Amino acid sequence: MTAANGWTADEMMTVAAARALPDRAVCFVGIGLPSSAANLARRMHAPDAVLIYESGCIGAKPGTLPSSIGDGVLSDTADAVIGVPEIFAYWLQGGRIDVGFLGAAQIDRFANINTTVIGGYQAPKVRLPGAGGAPEIAANCGEVVITLRHGRRSLVEEIDFITSLGHGDGGDHRERLRLRGRGPGTVITDLGVLQPDPETKELTLTSVHPGVEAADVAAETGWDLRVAPDLDVTPPPSDEELSVLRELQG
Amino acid sequence: MSRFAGLAEAVAAHVGDGDTVAVEGFTHLISFAAGHEIIRQGRRDLTLVRMTPDVVYDQMIGAGCARKLVFSWGGNPGVGSLHRFRDAVENGWPRPLEIDEHSHAGLAERWRAGAAGLPFGVLRGYSGTSLADHTLTIAPIACPFTGEELAAVPALNPDVGIIHAQQADRAGNVMLWGISGVQKECVLSSRRSIVTVEEVVDSFEPRVNGVVLPSWTIDAVCVVPGGAHPSYAHDFSERDNDYYAAWDPISRDRRAFEAWLGGMRDGVAA
């Protein structure tokens, strides 16, 4: 899908995710779109954001996007390279990460994430890669930003497996489990931005990307989607955001 | 004390049918050479352990070496699915694969407990997830000091741990650097260990994030330059991203995979 002025829906999603990363934030970055977004942010408004990759690279500053979580360009440019048990124990569980960027195969209306199986666990229809670092990223980071492509098979009424907890059953579920982080605060898709209602924690459409109507988003969502009364339109990617992103992607 | 050996000899001596085997490496320093040798020697009924089973585990699973997989993320990094792994889990081909599935934080803690000689590790993890319901090796435990509920996971102590590293010295000590993953924990947790290395040197230079594993923690050192390919050895090689991408169509198709397997067994390609 390409808009009239030349950006794609995936580029809009990446740019919107980049804007969600504040400067000086310490960010736990997954590979793929989250990594593109975090590196774009570092070149735009967040030069002092600290990117942490789960391979043990703290403060990585890759010049081109890595294709795996453990490319040499990450360790070469990092402030520190440490072992994997330390990353998860001292840094993530130690409460030192502000923002976790996660992808997802499926989410539900409370931003619970499935990256494990479609279908039953014992005899799955589709076996997905599994958890990786996500369950503890979702639990322990100050805030979580989720990116995924919109569709009725990805934003679903009920997920088959909770790989990583979002807002559970909604309301104060996270507080009851005594999780340290606030959980998913923003879900960014190729159609718009969803944010949890402050009370119920149900995801609500708060912004649509340019050219997208709220009804389009609702039609692509597997539950009865709530729409914010003051619905925004996401500013389109600027020329600078686009050129920097494309340069990063080589 | 470690002993220098040929890779075929080391695998024959240390890896038996039914063993629990870890060929570790977090993207970096993965001993593909050892995985391929295990396939060539036709090992069966292995319990394979790895945080990030990637292409070499897809190959071993497709070749029928594995009965069970202990893991925390099973994909082809930057590419997509491991289709041999999926075929085994979804369709039982070439044989069913039992799984023991964790998060990275949990499996890293299992490695650390194994290296420390403790019966279990503990973490603030798995709360509210379905993993806690399905994985038998995750149990709730109360902190004896504060009462906080935490997750306990049992130590990993494989029969054989296998890693790649950059260098050995002539006494059989091993040094690796760059992304160190759980290489140290893998060797220290395992009852026996094999390390494939790029080269042998008279003495080690100090390195950033250098890890030295003394000779007496290792059983066999095998000099296999390029033994991590298509993974890489920092300062010796680059990750061969094209190989990972090219694996996808082979992995998707049983016939293409079997053709690859035949070639690999004959030593035509790796």
Side-chain angles (χ1 to χ4, degrees):
Chain A
M1 184 160 74
T2 305
N5 60 346
W7 45 266
T8 67
D10 273 6
E11 285 173 332
M12 180 70 255
M13 178 162 61
T14 308
V15 166
R19 292 173 186 159
L21 181 66
D23 195 15
R24 286 183 290 283
V26 178
C27 179
F28 210 104
V29 186
I31 212 67
L33 194 144
S35 176
S36 306
N39 280 289
L40 175 59
R42 216 173 54 74
R43 278 167 181 71
M44 299 295 301
H45 62 279
D48 294 322
V50 178
L51 310 191
I52 298 191
Y53 288 80
E54 65 193 16
S55 53
C57 300
I58 296 178
K61 298 170 250 332
T64 55
L65 291 175
S67 66
S68 84
I69 206 83
D71 279 20
V73 67
L74 298 175
S75 55
D76 276 340
T77 61
D79 297 327
V81 182
I82 59 171
V84 163
E86 280 185 36
I87 273 284
F88 288 101
Y90 304 168
W91 298 81
L92 182 57
Q93 293 178 62
R96 293 183 165 82
I97 317 285
D98 300 319
V99 181
F101 258 112
L102 293 175
Q106 289 186 327
I107 62 169
D108 65 16
R109 69 174 73 211
F110 295 114
N112 298 300
I113 297 175
N114 176 21
T115 56
T116 303
V117 288
I118 308 292
Y121 186 70
Q122 295 305 331
K125 200 160 77 180
V126 180
R127 175 63 227 198
L128 301 165
E136 285 72 32
I137 292 172
N140 292 293
C141 290
E143 186 192 333
V144 173
V145 177
I146 299 171
T147 57
L148 82 168
R149 289 196 187 87
H150 223 111
R152 296 183 75 90
R153 292 201 301 183
S154 50
L155 287 86
V156 297
E157 178 72 44
E158 197 172 348
I159 55 178
D160 293 326
F161 194 96
I162 300 176
T163 311
S164 304
L165 194 76
H167 294 286
D169 299 330
D172 64 350
H173 198 173
R174 288 182 69 92
E175 285 79 6
R176 282 186 277 121
L177 290 174
R178 297 176 189 280
L179 296 176
R180 293 186 149 189
R182 294 186 300 280
T186 314
V187 176
I188 296 166
T189 77
D190 48 349
L191 298 182
V193 178
L194 296 83
Q195 294 180 299
D197 177 271
E199 292 298 318
T200 67
K201 305 295 184 190
E202 179 173 336
L203 288 175
T204 305
L205 182 67
T206 54
S207 183
V208 285
H209 297 332
V212 178
E213 300 293 332
D216 304 334
V217 186
E220 290 296 320
T221 303
W223 66 84
D224 191 7
L225 180 67
R226 288 162 45 102
V227 178
D230 51 347
L231 182 68
D232 286 331
V233 176
T234 315
S238 70
D239 291 346
E240 191 188 0
E241 283 169 328
L242 270 185
S243 67
V244 171
L245 176 61
R246 287 172 184 172
E247 190 186 318
L248 266 174
Q249 290 172 331
Chain B
M1 290 303 250
S2 67
R3 205 169 66 76
F4 284 95
L7 181 56
E9 180 198 347
V11 167
H14 295 295
V15 183
D17 288 346
D19 278 355
T20 297
V21 179
V23 183
E24 262 294 355
F26 210 90
T27 303
H28 182 216
L29 297 175
I30 302 159
S31 188
F32 269 73
H36 290 168
E37 186 56 35
I38 289 169
I39 294 175
R40 279 193 203 96
Q41 295 193 14
R43 290 287 88 84
R44 285 290 178 274
D45 296 322
L46 303 179
T47 293
L48 293 177
V49 179
R50 171 109 176 257
M51 291 187 68
T52 53
D54 71 346
V55 166
V56 72
Y57 269 41
D58 205 37
Q59 294 167 341
M60 293 165 81
I61 290 164
C65 300
R67 176 183 74 77
K68 181 176 177 181
L69 179 67
V70 181
F71 76 111
S72 44
W73 189 84
N76 183 345
V79 179
S81 287
L82 296 176
H83 294 279
R84 295 299 92 226
F85 160 64
R86 280 185 58 179
D87 206 8
V89 173
E90 294 168 13
N91 309 309
W93 194 94
R95 54 176 298 180
L97 185 70
E98 192 186 329
I99 57 177
D100 178 9
E101 180 168 12
H102 282 266
S103 65
H104 281 346
L107 206 52
E109 208 52 44
R110 294 188 67 183
W111 274 126
R112 202 156 68 151
L118 289 167
F120 68 90
V122 66
L123 69 154
R124 189 178 274 122
Y126 300 113
S127 286
T129 72
S130 306
L131 283 166
D133 301 330
H134 286 91
T135 298
L136 297 175
T137 50
I138 298 169
I141 186 172
C143 168
F145 305 106
T146 65
E148 181 180 358
E149 189 176 294
L150 301 163
V153 288
L156 279 173
N157 293 106
D159 295 304
V160 199
I162 304 175
I163 61 166
H164 193 73
Q166 282 95 338
Q167 294 176 331
D169 67 12
R170 298 195 189 282
N173 302 298
V174 161
M175 185 167 186
L176 61 94
W177 61 91
I179 289 171
S180 60
V182 289
Q183 305 297 78
K184 182 168 62 177
E185 288 77 9
C186 176
V187 167
L188 296 180
S189 296
S190 299
R191 292 177 184 87
R192 303 183 293 279
S193 61
I194 301 171
V195 183
T196 54
V197 297
E198 291 290 324
E199 65 177 11
V200 178
V201 294
D202 290 330
S203 62
F204 297 134
E205 289 171 30
R207 306 275 180 175
V208 174
N209 197 36
V211 174
V212 173
L213 290 162
S215 162
W216 47 271
T217 63
I218 300 164
D219 291 282
V221 175
C222 310
V223 183
V224 188
H229 178 267
S231 158
Y232 72 106
H234 203 113
D235 290 333
F236 285 79
S237 57
E238 300 275 326
R239 189 172 187 269
D240 185 354
N241 292 325
D242 292 343
Y243 182 108
Y244 285 87
W247 181 250
D248 190 69
I250 300 171
S251 176
R252 279 176 189 275
D253 183 88
R254 289 179 188 172
R255 280 192 188 173
F257 172 74
E258 288 186 321
W260 173 87
L261 188 60
M264 198 281 296
R265 281 186 175 131
D266 297 339
V268 174

